[in-house]
Amino acid sequence: MSKKHILLLHTGGTISMKENAETGSVAPGSANPIAEVMDIPGVDARYTIKEPFQIPSPHMTAEYMMVLKKEIEASDADGVVITHGTDTMEETAYFLHLTLDTPIPVVLTGAMRSSNESGADGLSNLIAAVKTAASGAAHGKGVLVVMNETIHSAALVTKTNTGSLEAFQSRNGGPVGSILKTGPHFFFTPFKTDRFDIQRVDYHIPILKAYAGMDAFLINQLISCDGVVIEAMGQGNVPPDAAKALASLIQFGVPVIIASRCGSGIVQPVYAYEGGGAALKKAGALFAGGLNGQKARLKLLAALSAGHGKNLNRIFP
């Protein structure tokens, strides 16, 4: 049997950085320490290693995500591992989950601690990610995130803590698998999501978070946007003045997607009072289900790019 071909794409982030012993600050150095890893114990594979860009995670954009998408589509690899900063890892993973049309494993990983910090987790996460990408069991599972010996679906995972090694958790569904000594073990196959054949990503879609007493001021500035995502309260409710402004946006043709500011749960058009989810739905707002705000934004971007602007009700039922 021929060796598996694994494409390693290094993009930057804490996994590629070092801590300054004097100041305690973490920053990129002259070389990426994780890129020097050429052999993964327990995996019989050959590697193509690329660094399409080296950026801190907050510098990630949809344009960079497209670069990764094209690199994967141009490769003949049997599996792909992307090392990535953790702040926006879930967004890149979900973007690829929505836009890639391939059954091969695509796995993102990173680090919560830089390479020379005590308890550095980058190397162990990389090994776990490569084991997952090289496994036949990961075939057809969609884009995955592997952190702290746990396997998550891109559709569910989110960063829940600023610094813990257990920062990555899956909202509403839990992890899809874990890394054992023998390799990845899957508990179940993640549900399939819509796939979008996108052409462009230069859309202006801001995210707002609802708060007590929220008025129309910020919302009224968004009339020229391509869409708006609001992280509403609870199951999808906003204050009355904000609701009136959102209804006006919808009348002007701006799609409004309702997510929740809660850590987990599903938004639903339940409450019929002014500003309640049922009233928002009647005004034409769309609901993001269990997606958080950042993922709802990417789904709207992908849907618009793929030409579904006139049937968003199907995308956000």
Side-chain angles (χ1 to χ4, degrees):
M1 181 181 294
S2 61
K3 289 185 176 183
K4 289 284 185 75
H5 176 200
I6 303 298
L7 173 64
L8 288 175
L9 297 174
H10 296 302
T11 69
T14 299
I15 194 170
S16 67
M17 298 181 187
K18 292 185 177 182
E19 181 185 51
N20 185 301
E22 295 181 358
T23 66
S25 63
V26 177
S30 58
N32 177 1
I34 207 72
E36 300 169 4
V37 178
M38 302 289 292
D39 185 41
I40 304 298
V43 178
D44 186 22
R46 62 184 180 91
Y47 301 96
T48 297
I49 301 175
K50 294 186 176 183
E51 296 186 54
F53 45 83
Q54 284 290 312
I55 58 172
S57 189
H59 295 194
M60 181 59 66
T61 65
E63 286 78 12
Y64 282 128
M65 295 177 194
M66 282 290 284
V67 171
L68 296 175
K69 176 179 180 289
K70 291 176 180 178
E71 285 279 6
I72 294 167
E73 290 173 336
S75 174
D76 63 353
D78 302 304
V80 179
V81 171
I82 302 170
T83 62
H84 196 290
T86 60
D87 284 347
T88 57
M89 185 192 299
E90 67 186 86
E91 291 170 78
T92 298
Y94 188 62
F95 176 90
L96 295 174
H97 191 70
L98 289 173
T99 61
L100 284 173
D101 185 18
T102 178
I104 69 168
V106 176
V107 183
L108 282 82
T109 194
M112 296 302 297
R113 298 175 184 171
S114 59
S115 61
N116 61 336
E117 285 185 76
S118 176
D121 57 327
L123 181 57
S124 61
N125 286 338
L126 176 63
I127 292 171
V130 171
K131 286 182 176 179
T132 303
S135 170
H139 197 82
K141 295 289 196 300
V143 177
L144 303 169
V145 170
V146 171
M147 293 286 289
N148 199 36
E149 298 187 338
T150 305
I151 308 171
H152 301 272
S153 168
L156 297 173
V157 71
T158 190
K159 186 176 181 179
T160 64
N161 188 282
T162 57
S164 169
L165 296 183
E166 298 179 347
F168 282 80
Q169 304 291 329
S170 288
R171 293 163 51 110
N172 303 322
V176 299
S178 63
I179 307 299
L180 307 178
K181 288 185 178 180
T182 54
H185 173 75
F186 285 90
F187 308 137
F188 59 90
T189 298
F191 59 85
K192 292 187 179 298
T193 56
D194 293 324
R195 193 195 72 82
F196 300 95
D197 184 12
I198 67 172
Q199 304 300 322
R200 47 174 285 219
V201 293
D202 56 337
Y203 293 91
H204 296 288
I205 305 173
I207 301 172
L208 299 181
K209 183 185 289 286
Y211 52 87
M214 186 179 192
D215 59 21
F217 178 76
L218 287 175
I219 298 170
N220 287 342
Q221 318 304 313
L222 306 179
I223 192 68
S224 63
C225 292
D226 298 298
V228 173
V229 175
I230 182 160
E231 292 185 344
M233 302 164 177
Q235 294 188 65
N237 315 303
V238 300
D241 288 346
K244 292 174 185 176
L246 290 173
S248 295
L249 270 189
I250 294 167
Q251 289 175 359
F252 275 102
V254 180
V256 172
I257 309 298
I258 306 296
S260 179
R261 69 180 194 175
C262 295
S264 61
I266 310 295
V267 287
Q268 301 178 85
V270 173
Y271 292 98
Y273 54 72
E274 186 178 9
L280 291 171
K281 185 175 179 64
K282 187 175 181 179
L286 302 170
F287 282 68
L291 295 176
N292 58 22
Q294 53 267 37
K295 289 184 181 177
R297 174 185 175 275
L298 287 170
K299 189 173 184 180
L300 177 57
L301 183 154
L304 293 174
S305 182
H308 296 299
K310 296 187 182 300
N311 64 335
L312 289 174
N313 282 306
R314 186 188 70 78
I315 309 300
F316 296 95

